Amino acid sequence: MKLLLRKMSHADYDYDLIQDGDTIGVGVSGGKDSTLLLYALHKYKEKSGKKFNVIGIHIQLGFNGDSFDPVQTYFENLGIRMIQSPSNVARILEKNLTADGRIRCSLCSKFKKAAVINVAKENGCNKIAFAHHADDAVETLMLNAIYGGKLNTFDPMMYLTESKMTFIRPFIYVRESEIIAQSQQIGLPVIKSGCPMDGVTKRQDMKELLAEIYERFPQSRDNFLKMLHNPDQISLWNPNKKG
């Protein structure tokens, strides 16, 4: 846990993610990443000396996944407040499938984010933390390059002016392998998603492609992450626009 907290502290220092007086709502799906993030922020509060509050927010999407009760009980026993909020996200998504009958992941993400924001505001949160990690950031970069023709990924911290909410990602320097190992060591309850797209998305394809690249070029694993926070070494075309 020390390594993980040290990487969170590094991210906090680099991007000023957490301040005294914050109330942070953590979007908890029940998967390993978000479950560990809530636990880790609870520990970071104890170790960092910063005075902030953290609560868990679980949006019940409506898919037939595992019961969330073990996660709820686990955090209640730690004295961490966990809020469950019902939604009709699954029903809406099932009425807006792609032409080949697939769930629209981008639409799901939009609805989930809106639902978390609403619950966070109702409970006095000024920030929302998501568990996107270092590997997610690189995968997003590659997805945008391949499918969008642009080089960008999500920000460690961003402010949404429309909703007046700040989003932070304390795990940006943490590897997925470290999350898996730490979750198993602690014995965190992890539930299986009921989403029919789980494991069959473009992101999963990118994860598998990157695994092949890392195996062939081991140095690329660290360098791909380094390039996301190394702005002094960006050199891209900038054509002159006339007229």
Side-chain angles (χ1 to χ4, degrees):
M1 197 67 194
K2 289 182 179 179
L3 174 62
L4 189 142
L5 291 177
R6 186 160 62 247
K7 288 191 173 186
M8 288 178 64
S9 179
H10 186 186
D12 187 16
Y13 177 82
D14 283 352
Y15 300 102
D16 201 21
L17 302 179
I18 302 172
Q19 288 82 39
D20 287 346
D22 282 344
T23 297
I24 303 171
V26 181
V28 180
S29 67
K32 65 184 187 315
D33 301 346
S34 59
T35 303
L36 182 61
L37 177 60
L38 180 56
Y39 179 89
L41 278 172
H42 175 67
K43 291 297 182 182
Y44 186 63
K45 178 182 176 181
E46 297 175 351
K47 301 292 184 181
S48 68
K50 292 191 173 184
K51 299 177 181 179
F52 65 94
N53 295 314
V54 59
I55 63 175
I57 299 173
H58 174 68
I59 305 301
Q60 300 168 340
L61 299 180
F63 295 117
N64 293 321
D66 293 343
S67 170
F68 192 76
D69 290 348
V71 180
Q72 179 86 29
T73 300
Y74 181 87
F75 285 113
E76 285 180 349
N77 289 338
L78 290 177
I80 301 173
R81 186 182 175 199
M82 172 67 71
I83 301 167
Q84 291 196 55
S85 178
S87 79
N88 57 359
V89 170
R91 185 168 53 191
I92 295 174
L93 293 173
E94 289 164 358
K95 292 181 178 179
N96 292 274
L97 300 175
T98 61
D100 58 353
R102 296 159 66 93
I103 293 289
R104 298 180 187 272
C105 295
S106 59
L107 195 60
C108 182
S109 176
K110 179 180 178 180
F111 287 150
K112 285 191 294 185
K113 184 178 290 184
V116 172
I117 289 173
N118 288 337
V119 176
K121 284 187 171 183
E122 290 171 357
N123 290 273
C125 298
N126 66 309
K127 290 180 180 177
I128 293 172
F130 284 137
H132 300 118
H133 48 68
D135 296 296
D136 286 329
V138 175
E139 290 161 15
T140 300
L141 178 76
M142 298 294 285
L143 283 166
N144 283 325
I146 292 173
Y147 293 103
K150 56 186 178 181
L151 291 177
N152 76 326
T153 189
F154 51 73
D155 292 322
M157 180 167 67
M158 64 179 183
Y159 179 74
L160 299 185
T161 55
E162 185 175 341
S163 62
K164 295 181 174 58
M165 182 61 69
T166 298
F167 285 82
I168 62 173
R169 295 178 169 97
F171 273 178
I172 53 165
Y173 292 150
V174 180
R175 293 288 184 180
E176 184 175 25
S177 59
E178 295 168 333
I179 291 174
I180 293 172
Q182 193 64 68
S183 297
Q184 292 174 345
Q185 182 177 340
I186 297 171
L188 289 178
V190 175
I191 64 174
K192 182 173 176 54
S193 169
C195 175
M197 296 300 295
D198 190 30
V200 292
T201 60
K202 290 179 179 178
R203 181 170 293 276
Q204 181 62 33
D205 293 340
M206 200 56 53
K207 190 185 296 288
E208 293 171 6
L209 173 61
L210 284 166
E212 294 176 11
I213 294 174
Y214 296 155
E215 183 176 359
R216 185 173 178 184
F217 307 104
Q219 72 274 22
S220 65
R221 182 184 294 273
D222 289 335
N223 283 336
F224 280 4
L225 179 59
K226 180 181 178 181
M227 70 180 173
L228 296 183
H229 55 97
N230 192 15
D232 294 334
Q233 295 189 27
I234 294 177
S235 180
L236 297 173
W237 297 348
N238 187 21
N240 293 321
K241 296 183 179 180
K242 299 179 180 180

